[in-house]
Amino acid sequence: LHARGYKRNVSLSRLIDHHAIARRFLDLSAREQQPDVILCSLPTLELSLAATDYGRRRGVPVILDIRDLWPDALADLLPPGTRGFARFLLFPMYSQARKACTRAAALVGTAPGFIEWGLRHARRSPLPMDRCFPLGFTEKPVGQKELASAKNYWRQLGLKRDDYIVCFVGTIGRQFDLETVIDAASLLKEGGHGIKFVLCGTGDRLKHFQKLASGCDNIVFPGWVNMAEIRSLLEMSSIGLAPYKNTSNFMENLPNKPIEYLSAGLPLVSCLNGYLKKMLKENECGETYPEGNAPVLADRLVRIEQNPELAQKMSVNAYRLFREKFVMENIYGD
């Protein structure tokens, strides 16, 4: 389904695009052979509403795959004091979410909180077909040639095998509290600790964070990295960082980057409350620090660095958890 597209995530063009896609679906679906079942991702709300409307009229069951908590995620972009008013303004979108969830025959999502969110909007109890399928990460090995090239890439950036590396892989944008990470790196440098931070990715705030980190030679910004470079970095690292900001969209979910860290047996250090915090505590595979608190983050990292037995225990637990719940091939097979 094609529409006009949009260049900015928060824009009028995006809303117009969403409406156009929904209209396009309704036009084209009327000419297609009736399906046995429809799987539709939410968002977008408009397409979810169109798909469930089609399903209701034709007697076709629709499964809604809840990927993001719209419109809650939009309200979370605003300052805390204005979110109540924002939810009032977003009432039409909340109405769309309720209608789509109510009409759906089943709800699936990447975390239990996402299913619960959908059930609240549908105003019903869970059914056997309401299922959680978490994000996963593949166990397939990277080719030796690509891996050798990746290791050489990190050597050229000055990283050595015996460095104590804390890694981050993600979009360098507003969803992550990287200011606190940079402040913690500065504190550790002043304290004489040899921990190095490798913050991978690109995004609209990359230059801002690079400027903020000027003078901190224990921070490396390699930019965008490919799969082999990610795998190689995870093998070299001792801790994986997940500094997600505490929005409902992340607190109810388990984002994909922590799963990548688990696949390499890395202890996780995160400021995210909710589902991830509970998982780290129950499985003893990481630490949580208060969002915005650089001294506590620095303390958590040093605690793991200086306690090899704790680090080893977390590492074993992290890989066990990955093998039990997050192997991509098993999840998608289910």
Side-chain angles (χ1 to χ4, degrees), residues 171-331:
T171 303
I172 310 292
R174 299 181 186 277
Q175 63 267 56
F176 293 107
D177 178 24
L178 291 177
E179 288 93 347
T180 301
V181 174
I182 292 169
D183 289 343
S186 179
L187 289 173
L188 291 172
K189 180 187 175 184
E190 291 172 5
H193 293 279
I195 297 175
K196 289 188 177 181
F197 293 75
V198 182
L199 311 180
C200 303
T202 60
D204 58 0
R205 304 206 77 197
L206 177 58
K207 290 183 178 178
H208 164 75
F209 289 122
Q210 287 174 325
K211 184 177 180 181
L212 197 64
S214 61
C216 288
D217 56 7
N218 58 340
I219 301 178
V220 178
F221 286 97
W224 183 86
V225 288
N226 63 34
M227 179 58 72
E229 289 159 354
I230 292 173
R231 286 289 187 88
S232 177
L233 176 64
L234 295 180
E235 287 181 7
M236 296 168 62
S237 299
S238 298
I239 296 173
L241 267 182
Y244 292 89
K245 290 187 177 179
N246 280 280
T247 63
S248 58
N249 213 45
F250 286 132
M251 288 191 293
E252 296 288 350
N253 195 11
L254 178 60
N256 61 333
K257 294 308 174 184
I259 297 169
E260 290 188 31
Y261 303 148
L262 293 175
S263 75
L266 292 184
L268 269 69
V269 175
S270 169
C271 61
L272 187 58
N273 295 317
Y275 187 50
L276 178 59
K277 180 178 181 179
K278 181 182 178 183
M279 187 189 77
L280 296 182
K281 184 177 181 180
E282 288 180 349
N283 293 278
E284 299 182 72
C285 58
E287 298 268 9
T288 303
Y289 65 94
E291 182 182 335
N293 195 320
V296 174
L297 169 56
D299 180 69
R300 296 284 193 272
L301 297 174
V302 171
R303 178 171 178 260
I304 297 173
E305 179 208 18
Q306 295 185 350
N307 193 332
E309 289 184 4
L310 174 64
Q312 177 63 19
K313 178 182 177 182
M314 286 183 173
S315 176
V316 170
N317 289 342
Y319 187 66
R320 174 188 51 77
L321 178 61
F322 169 75
R323 291 283 302 136
E324 288 176 358
K325 293 187 177 181
F326 302 113
V327 175
M328 179 188 293
E329 291 77 10
N330 295 341
I331 293 168

Side-chain angles (χ1 to χ4, degrees), residues 12-245:
L12 180 61
S13 296
R14 181 172 188 175
L15 295 178
I16 294 172
D17 178 88
H18 289 180
H19 282 283
I21 288 288
R23 287 198 305 271
R24 188 82 175 132
F25 170 81
L26 290 173
D27 290 342
L28 293 176
S29 62
R31 309 174 208 168
E32 296 282 345
Q33 181 179 341
Q34 182 170 305
D36 298 309
V37 65
I38 296 173
L39 172 65
C40 180
S41 291
L42 187 162
T44 67
L45 293 170
E46 293 83 358
L47 186 56
S48 298
L49 201 59
T52 53
D53 179 60
Y54 176 99
R56 183 182 59 172
R57 287 186 286 105
R58 301 286 190 104
V60 177
V62 178
I63 301 171
L64 278 189
D65 179 21
I66 301 172
R67 310 292 297 180
D68 282 308
L69 305 184
W70 275 39
D72 290 3
L74 301 180
D76 284 341
L77 295 173
L78 301 173
T82 65
R83 288 174 189 168
F85 182 62
R87 286 184 169 85
F88 172 76
L89 293 178
L90 293 171
F91 175 79
M93 298 181 78
Y94 279 103
S95 178
Q96 288 178 321
R98 282 194 294 272
K99 286 180 181 177
C101 291
T102 300
R103 294 172 181 172
L107 302 170
V108 300
T110 57
F114 276 32
I115 308 298
E116 292 166 8
W117 179 90
L119 291 172
R120 286 197 300 272
H121 282 293
R123 296 188 174 96
R124 66 171 175 82
S125 300
L127 300 171
M129 285 292 290
D130 299 320
R131 293 280 302 278
C132 175
F133 296 98
L135 296 171
F137 195 66
T138 183
E139 280 199 305
K140 292 180 180 178
V142 175
Q144 289 302 311
K145 184 178 180 181
E146 292 84 356
L147 202 57
S149 176
K151 290 178 180 178
N152 184 55
Y153 171 78
W154 295 117
R155 281 195 295 269
Q156 290 176 354
L157 287 180
L159 298 178
K160 302 185 294 294
R161 186 74 193 180
D162 58 349
D163 285 335
Y164 196 93
I165 297 172
V166 174
C167 71
F168 163 84
V169 181
T171 303
I172 310 292
R174 299 181 186 277
Q175 63 267 56
F176 293 107
D177 178 24
L178 291 177
E179 288 93 347
T180 301
V181 174
I182 292 169
D183 289 343
S186 179
L187 289 173
L188 291 172
K189 180 187 175 184
E190 291 172 5
H193 293 279
I195 297 175
K196 289 188 177 181
F197 293 75
V198 182
L199 311 180
C200 303
T202 60
D204 58 0
R205 304 206 77 197
L206 177 58
K207 290 183 178 178
H208 164 75
F209 289 122
Q210 287 174 325
K211 184 177 180 181
L212 197 64
S214 61
C216 288
D217 56 7
N218 58 340
I219 301 178
V220 178
F221 286 97
W224 183 86
V225 288
N226 63 34
M227 179 58 72
E229 289 159 354
I230 292 173
R231 286 289 187 88
S232 177
L233 176 64
L234 295 180
E235 287 181 7
M236 296 168 62
S237 299
S238 298
I239 296 173
L241 267 182
Y244 292 89
K245 290 187 177 179

